[in-house]
Amino acid sequence: MPPNVRADQRPPDDNAFAAALAAAGVDDSPAFVTALSGGPDSTALALLAQRFATHQNRRHLALIVDHGLRDGSAGEARRVQARLSDYGVISRVQPIIVPPPKASIQEWARHHRQDLLAAAARAEGAVVLFGQHADDQAETVAMRLQHGSGLGGIRGMPLRRWHHDVLFARPLLGWR
């Protein structure tokens, strides 16, 4: 597992990322779609995926889903897109056009986000990458246990899973 470092302290470890993709069983994919929230984890993943794709002559797209739940979310998504384009990452902002419900908004957002990511991946012939890492996994397990989910919650997030006919993977799940 790579040590915890700041981005300006050392260049990315391309071999470690390639190994993480291999461990997730997605290193041979012809294309990648990164789920990009704009936060540090998904941004790091988008940059690593772009480097890998470029060096391996593969396609990469970072998809920014605008849930439209906050004033200014469209502008925020465009700023994330502009920031990533400075690093050569091709991205697209995809708004959710279905009005949100009055209740269960998180579930509604997750459902639509996953469907939009799957549609983009299908169009690209790609696998979808998510930026969750080891600390997220520990937090997920702890929260599930706290809420009484039992032994099923101990499993945490899977390294890979299928959403309809598209593979979703979390290659950074072993990283801190």
Side-chain angles (χ1 to χ4, degrees):
M1 180 176 342
N4 293 330
V5 297
R6 292 171 32 110
D8 60 352
Q9 289 178 324
R10 77 188 256 265
D13 190 334
D14 293 330
N15 293 332
F17 185 66
L21 289 173
V26 298
D27 58 321
D28 61 349
S29 177
F32 304 94
V33 171
T34 298
L36 179 59
S37 69
D41 302 336
S42 66
T43 299
L45 176 61
L47 294 170
L48 287 165
Q50 184 64 54
R51 284 175 59 91
F52 180 84
T54 298
H55 290 127
Q56 298 293 320
N57 198 27
R58 316 256 181 101
R59 297 180 318 280
H60 175 249
L61 170 71
L63 188 69
I64 306 158
V65 175
D66 176 12
H67 300 86
L69 296 173
R70 295 184 320 275
D71 288 340
S73 66
E76 179 181 319
R78 285 191 304 273
R79 285 190 298 278
V80 169
Q81 184 178 35
R83 185 176 72 227
L84 269 285
S85 72
D86 290 343
Y87 293 96
V89 176
I90 297 168
S91 62
R92 185 171 75 224
V93 176
Q94 180 67 53
I96 296 175
I97 56 174
V98 178
K102 300 287 185 212
S104 302
I105 291 175
Q106 293 293 336
E107 183 179 336
W108 169 88
R110 183 175 41 257
H111 168 77
H112 286 285
R113 180 174 57 250
Q114 289 178 1
D115 285 354
L116 288 171
L117 287 160
R122 250 185 251 102
E124 295 288 327
V127 62
V128 177
L129 304 178
F130 291 90
Q132 286 99 352
H133 50 78
D135 293 338
D136 295 323
Q137 182 75 295
E139 179 183 32
T140 297
V141 170
M143 285 176 23
R144 288 179 180 173
L145 288 173
Q146 183 180 11
H147 290 103
S149 67
L151 294 177
I154 292 175
R155 285 190 298 230
M157 296 178 280
L159 184 60
R160 52 186 274 152
R161 71 176 178 87
W162 290 92
H163 180 74
H164 301 300
D165 58 341
V166 175
L167 184 58
F168 284 9
R170 296 177 176 96
L172 304 182
L173 213 49
W175 291 20
R176 297 206 58 196

